[in-house]
Amino acid sequence: MAVVGDLALMGTKITTPNKLIGKLEKRVFGVPISFSPKFSFSHNKSRTAIKAVMQIEKIQSSSELKGSLKEGSLLGFDVVSERELKEKGFLGLRKTKLVCTIGPACCSLDELEKLAIAGMNVARLNMCHNSREWHQDVIRKIQKLNEEKGYSVSIMIDTEGNQIQVVDHGSSSSVKAEEDSIWYFTTEKFEGSRPFTIQANYEGFSEGVNPGDEIVIDGGMATFEVIERVGNDLRCKCTDPGLLLPRAKLSFWRDGKLLGRDYDLPTLSTKDWSDIVFGISEDIDFIAVSFVKDADAIKHLKDYLASKSSKAIKVLAKIESLESLHRLEEIVEASDGIMIARGDLGVEIPLEQIPSVQEDITYVCRQLNKPVIVASQLLESMVEYPTPTRAEVADVSEVVRQYADALMLSGESAIGSYGMKALSVLRTTSTRMEQSCREESRQTLLHQRKLGVSLPDQIAEQICNCAVEMADNLGVDAIFVYTRHGKMASLLSRNRPNPPIFAFTNDNSTRMALNLQWGVTPLLTDLSDDMEGNVKKTVELIKAKGMMKKDDAILVVSDIIPISTARAIFQSIQVMTIT
């Protein structure tokens, strides 16, 4: 499907006595500018006419339009974005998205609303933990907040995967393992918890393990030395004290090397498929797939979703193993986004390689225009303490500097005592680092891979690249994009522009999917084939809410394909100032 729609590029109609023309004269080689029409393409084979035009004009108030607006019915601004825009202005909006894992510490309606107010864009539910009824209750609370109080929080479920090496201490929260304490790792099945006893979920978990080997919990949260085997069980001594989380993942090491095991299990287990069916029924927005080995599982799941759900549920692949690194590009291409699960990945590759691998994955995702979440241990100390380490803040800043789309809290929000403070650290740190990157104009150093195959897609891609360059050069205050499926909004986001991107869509699933795109504020609104009408309507609504002021300059693009004239696709970039 072509992603090109009503878009505009540079000008047939100019009204010069405004602030923007002064900006143009100063910023483009210091030479006064005159624009002339226009360029066009024709594609004889499909007989599709594609036109591109650029307009620079002033938007003036329309009393008639104001009189026709129904309060709150035409523009779906979420309350958090609206508040931030009023307080901070366009350039003060945070661009890096924030994902919070929901757990016992933050599952009440009041706590969920606090997270939403503090900037949570996506709520993640880890299907490894809690009951089906618990997850359903959380999902419906979030949906209630969205519907009744005007928030826009997307919902992600994270599949458990075929995790052979999982252990559980039976407690509902974390348990501290002290140095030199003796623990038993057993395959015996029992209800509840036992002191210093950890239950493994797989009968053969200890096969090939010898005394002297090490058990590493969750990539280094705690370490045990195997003292002796007792049947299928292991008696161990804690050598590195730390927190043991419910259903923690373990790995075995010998002489400083990981004991690799190939169980040849499918990526999605029977339980995963059951959880996916549940997610479809509960109208979730994202599915994150654990332990992805190759692109086949992602393709299979996307085909299944297309046949079972009318909603465009997005599929994210978690990169957390050597196998996924070896097939990284094919996995990124097949998926709708990536989660870098640094905790599990740090078990399979040397720790010193994590920073460079993280940067490489982020770069590949940018090149292929797929959103990327950096997860695991961003603020791990805040599970227990109210203040992060300086090293953790530096780590978060580096993720933002690499232009990752999103940061994710795991245990910090799910079971920690300071989830709100942790989210605040992510928000303030990312905002400050974004400002620093903007001042350095770092995005001008990025070179994008060409993705489009069809002529319309190539044109859309080039227009978005040019639109962002133009927006940055002219110093416009915001980019408005009108989109039904979100493609052009994502292409704009890929270029990491200085001004924020406001994506107007009439499709709620598109709106919720765009919650994961860097720099995009998605807005639900009615759209028509009349682009001029769409622009005037939305600008007037935003003005009426007090979020735009005189002389603000906006750049407008669109991928709205007129339903009635699908064979004539009009593309434009318009630069407008507000009076």
Side-chain angles (χ1 to χ4, degrees), residues 513-539:
L514 289 174
N515 267 334
L516 206 51
Q517 296 277 174
W518 186 97
V520 176
T521 298
L523 305 170
L524 189 65
T525 187
D526 295 328
L527 294 176
S528 69
D529 291 354
D530 178 11
M531 267 308 300
E532 184 176 352
N534 288 334
V535 175
K536 286 184 177 180
K537 176 182 69 177
T538 51
V539 167

Side-chain angles (χ1 to χ4, degrees), residues 247-315:
R247 295 192 59 76
K249 300 166 190 174
L250 61 84
S251 57
F252 293 99
W253 292 73
R254 179 179 298 158
D255 299 327
K257 295 181 179 179
L258 178 70
L259 290 179
R261 299 173 172 211
D262 184 9
Y263 296 100
D264 195 29
L265 294 173
T267 299
L268 292 165
S269 67
T270 301
K271 179 182 181 301
D272 292 336
W273 283 111
S274 175
D275 289 337
I276 288 166
V277 171
F278 163 74
I280 294 171
S281 69
E282 293 299 318
D283 199 31
I284 54 96
D285 305 293
F286 298 97
I287 297 173
V289 181
S290 297
F291 303 106
V292 175
K293 301 175 184 177
D294 52 43
D296 291 343
I298 299 297
K299 294 175 182 176
H300 180 44
L301 176 55
K302 291 179 72 172
D303 289 343
Y304 177 82
L305 292 173
S307 67
K308 298 295 183 180
S309 174
S310 58
K311 179 177 181 177
I313 299 173
K314 301 299 182 182
V315 177

Side-chain angles (χ1 to χ4, degrees), residues 467-540:
V468 169
E469 183 177 2
M470 182 178 175
D472 289 344
N473 288 339
L474 299 181
V476 302
D477 297 286
I479 299 173
F480 284 14
V481 57
Y482 297 81
T483 177
R484 285 198 171 102
H485 303 291
K487 181 66 174 180
M488 196 155 288
S490 72
L491 288 169
L492 291 166
S493 170
R494 177 194 188 208
N495 285 277
R496 302 307 194 243
N498 284 331
I501 302 163
F502 292 88
F504 301 92
T505 181
N506 60 350
D507 185 277
N508 192 54
S509 63
T510 297
R511 178 197 191 191
M512 303 311 276
L514 289 174
N515 267 334
L516 206 51
Q517 296 277 174
W518 186 97
V520 176
T521 298
L523 305 170
L524 189 65
T525 187
D526 295 328
L527 294 176
S528 69
D529 291 354
D530 178 11
M531 267 308 300
E532 184 176 352
N534 288 334
V535 175
K536 286 184 177 180
K537 176 182 69 177
T538 51
V539 167
E540 287 293 342

Side-chain angles (χ1 to χ4, degrees), residues 36 45 65 78 279 414 422 450 473 542:
S36 59
K45 213 171 217 183
L65 181 59
D78 72 276
K450 294 181 180 179
N473 288 339
I542 294 176

Side-chain angles (χ1 to χ4, degrees), residues 62 65-66 153 190 238 260 383 398 409 423 428 464 510 514 519:
S62 168
L65 181 59
K66 279 186 176 179
V153 177
F190 56 86
C238 180
V383 173
E398 177 60 18
L409 295 176
L423 184 58
T428 56
C464 286
T510 297
L514 289 174

Side-chain angles (χ1 to χ4, degrees), residues 184-202:
Y184 288 88
F185 289 74
T186 179
T187 58
E188 180 187 349
K189 306 301 180 186
F190 56 86
E191 296 295 326
S193 61
R194 293 180 184 175
F196 302 102
T197 303
I198 295 177
Q199 184 178 167
N201 73 329
Y202 178 60

